[in-house]
Amino acid sequence: MSERLQPGDTAPAFTLPDADGNEVSLAAHKGRKVIVYFYPAALTPGCTKQACDFTDNLDVLAGAGYDVIGISPDKPEKLAKFREKESLKVTLLADPDKTVTESYGAYGEKKNYGKTYMGVIRSTVIVDEEGKVERALYNVRATGHVAKIIKDLGI
């Protein structure tokens, strides 16, 4: 199980393909705050709600200096379908081998209906302008999470 990040840690660098196959790196966002969120699967109810919440609040977050990146194990083609179907505006990145997800502590043991298995832990990491972890939130809820982030950040 991967280590969870703590405030003050350096956010692990990454470069992953987006829904169009273009490489996107965390380094390209230096100088801006970035909300990096990890979700289990595109086109599922909870993940759709969360992605739509981020899209609906993107102007508010961007206005406060935050970029939003969603990362899942899905392939770019599935992310493109997800983006089109739900009219998403957030940047969606593919991490099929889960290397980045693990480096952020967002992959590990989960329990569902009494079964224990390994999977993506719904998580949000807020990275500051210098690439340091400002906040690391694990096992977050799909609904209401974006509103809580906005409130907690005082936006």
Side-chain angles (χ1 to χ4, degrees), residues 12-54:
F14 63 79
T15 301
L16 293 170
D18 69 7
D20 300 313
N22 301 314
E23 298 283 305
V24 175
S25 68
L26 182 62
H29 293 268
K30 197 157 180 75
R32 299 229 352 128
K33 293 182 179 193
V34 186
I35 297 171
V36 182
Y37 79 97
F38 295 87
Y39 62 99
L43 300 167
T44 57
C47 298
T48 298
K49 174 80 178 107
Q50 187 179 23
C52 288
D53 274 356
F54 272 118

Side-chain angles (χ1 to χ4, degrees), residues 18-19 24 29 37 58 68-71 88-93:
D18 69 7
V24 175
H29 293 268
Y37 79 97
L58 203 55
V68 179
I69 297 174
I71 299 177
L88 300 174
K89 301 272 185 280
V90 294
T91 301
L92 300 174
L93 302 183

Side-chain angles (χ1 to χ4, degrees), residues 45-77:
C47 298
T48 298
K49 174 80 178 107
Q50 187 179 23
C52 288
D53 274 356
F54 272 118
T55 293
D56 292 347
N57 289 286
L58 203 55
D59 290 345
V60 172
L61 292 165
Y66 290 89
D67 294 334
V68 179
I69 297 174
I71 299 177
S72 75
D74 299 302
K75 297 214 174 337
E77 302 78 38

Side-chain angles (χ1 to χ4, degrees), residues 8-154:
D9 288 351
T10 298
F14 63 79
T15 301
L16 293 170
D18 69 7
D20 300 313
N22 301 314
E23 298 283 305
V24 175
S25 68
L26 182 62
H29 293 268
K30 197 157 180 75
R32 299 229 352 128
K33 293 182 179 193
V34 186
I35 297 171
V36 182
Y37 79 97
F38 295 87
Y39 62 99
L43 300 167
T44 57
C47 298
T48 298
K49 174 80 178 107
Q50 187 179 23
C52 288
D53 274 356
F54 272 118
T55 293
D56 292 347
N57 289 286
L58 203 55
D59 290 345
V60 172
L61 292 165
Y66 290 89
D67 294 334
V68 179
I69 297 174
I71 299 177
S72 75
D74 299 302
K75 297 214 174 337
E77 302 78 38
K78 187 172 179 189
L79 296 178
K81 276 189 197 131
F82 188 34
R83 181 186 62 199
E84 305 314 316
K85 183 174 187 280
E86 303 299 337
S87 304
L88 300 174
K89 301 272 185 280
V90 294
T91 301
L92 300 174
L93 302 183
D95 184 24
D97 61 7
K98 301 176 199 71
T99 309
V100 174
T101 304
E102 285 187 32
S103 72
Y104 274 76
Y107 185 82
E109 201 171 87
K110 295 172 69 168
K111 283 186 171 45
N112 199 9
Y113 301 114
K115 286 195 170 76
T116 301
Y117 61 97
M118 297 300 283
V120 175
I121 298 162
R122 194 180 303 278
S123 310
T124 301
V125 176
I126 300 171
V127 181
D128 71 13
E129 301 89 340
E130 300 303 312
K132 297 263 187 241
V133 174
E134 196 175 291
R135 294 166 193 246
L137 311 160
Y138 294 95
N139 293 310
V140 301
R141 297 202 163 286
T143 50
H145 178 58
V146 177
K148 184 176 176 355
I149 289 173
I150 289 170
K151 182 174 173 269
D152 290 351
L153 294 174

